[in-house]
Amino acid sequence: MKSGIYNKPEVLDKTKHEGLKVAPINNFSYAAELKDSPISLSEFYAASASQPIVFAQSDSGENLAISILGLEENQNYFVNDKGEWKAGEYIPAYVRRYPFAFAKMNGEDFALAIDMDCDQVGGDVEGQSIFEAGEASSYAQGVMSFLKEHQNDSLRTQAFIGKLDEMNLLEDASAEVNKSGESFTVAGFKRINEKRFNELDQEQVYELHSNGYYKLIVAHLMSLRNFGKLLKG
């Protein structure tokens, strides 16, 4: 599964991007074609009430938890023609952080990046400054704090999925979709095998409870009901 909303990401530089500002983004048209989004553990409970949560691997082999936003290519069920997100439905942090992102530099270092293709980013927009007096503004520092927290949560998510794999709980899955007289298959993801989950011994169940994973597994399984919501479209 692939997901992306960034067209021209650039690592921010206090010299090159001096005077750059970010205006408020009032709609989600930039995510209208986003059919899935990575999410992290802290999002599981809220996301499970809105979207199916599944598991996949990035092109680099990184384990990911994925929130399914649409069943057809380039179509996000949660964004309407006006760029409005469906009221009461969860918005993944990956979507909310736009136009900012973390760019991996050398080793494990990350730098703040921004989508220069975003209409709300520029030197002549009315918004928050990224740099002030040659240093990151308080606004930019707040963005960095949010992204660092999200990055740390992503590492915890990888550990969670690694444990699921270690316990042989994951299985390849697909969803058969019949919509408007057309049939197609949504594939390329993994889910928890409920039979294996129910057959875990007492010690394994205790381990999942002690590290908080048991409730996350239940949230994942309950979230799969949301495929029906996407089918109704």
Side-chain angles (χ1 to χ4, degrees):
M1 289 186 178
K2 296 181 180 180
S3 56
I5 50 181
Y6 301 90
N7 294 315
K8 191 180 177 183
E10 285 188 18
V11 173
L12 287 165
D13 179 270
K14 63 183 179 182
T15 300
K16 180 180 179 181
H17 299 109
E18 181 183 7
L20 194 68
K21 295 181 180 180
V22 180
I25 297 179
N26 298 317
N27 68 67
F28 296 92
S29 57
Y30 62 88
E33 297 183 356
L34 189 69
K35 65 176 292 189
D36 54 74
S37 169
I39 62 169
S40 53
L41 293 190
S42 64
E43 301 179 81
F44 264 51
Y45 301 134
S48 67
S50 288
Q51 299 123 20
I53 298 172
V54 298
F55 307 101
Q57 279 194 335
S58 67
D59 293 338
S60 60
E62 177 184 345
N63 289 322
L64 299 172
I66 298 289
S67 185
I68 303 293
L69 304 176
L71 297 178
E72 300 178 59
E73 288 299 324
N74 304 319
Q75 187 177 72
N76 185 341
Y77 163 84
F78 296 91
V79 179
N80 65 22
D81 293 339
K82 297 179 181 179
E84 300 167 330
W85 200 275
K86 284 186 180 293
E89 301 285 6
Y90 183 70
I91 306 171
Y94 175 84
V95 175
R96 286 183 277 120
R97 74 182 187 178
Y98 187 80
F100 294 99
F102 258 160
K104 196 166 187 178
M105 305 297 284
N106 301 320
E108 297 299 318
D109 293 333
F110 287 87
L112 186 61
I114 197 167
D115 187 2
M116 295 300 294
D117 196 49
C118 177
D119 292 337
Q120 285 74 32
V121 174
D124 55 354
V125 302
E126 293 186 13
Q128 299 275 7
S129 296
I130 302 297
F131 297 104
E132 292 175 348
E135 300 296 335
S137 66
S138 58
Y139 167 69
Q141 290 176 24
V143 171
M144 282 289 289
S145 294
F146 173 76
L147 290 180
K148 284 179 180 177
E149 182 178 343
H150 186 256
Q151 178 61 26
N152 289 334
D153 203 22
S154 295
L155 295 176
R156 291 190 289 269
T157 306
Q158 291 182 50
F160 167 64
I161 301 172
K163 174 56 70 174
L164 299 181
D165 195 33
E166 177 187 319
M167 299 178 78
N168 193 33
L169 290 176
L170 295 177
E171 65 177 356
D172 292 328
S174 62
E176 297 296 327
V177 178
N178 293 289
K179 192 173 182 181
S180 302
E182 294 185 28
S183 298
F184 57 95
T185 301
V186 180
F189 64 88
K190 295 178 181 289
R191 57 160 289 171
I192 298 286
N193 182 302
E194 292 188 62
K195 183 175 184 295
R196 294 178 207 158
F197 177 55
N198 291 330
E199 291 175 349
L200 292 175
D201 61 39
Q202 234 176 359
E203 185 177 339
Q204 291 172 311
V205 171
Y206 176 78
E207 181 183 4
L208 292 174
H209 272 295
S210 64
N211 55 26
Y213 289 170
Y214 194 93
K215 290 189 292 186
L216 294 168
I217 291 174
V218 173
H220 151 69
L221 291 173
M222 292 181 66
S223 79
L224 299 178
R225 298 176 302 176
N226 292 314
F227 272 113
K229 177 194 298 184
L230 301 183
L231 280 171
K232 293 176 182 177

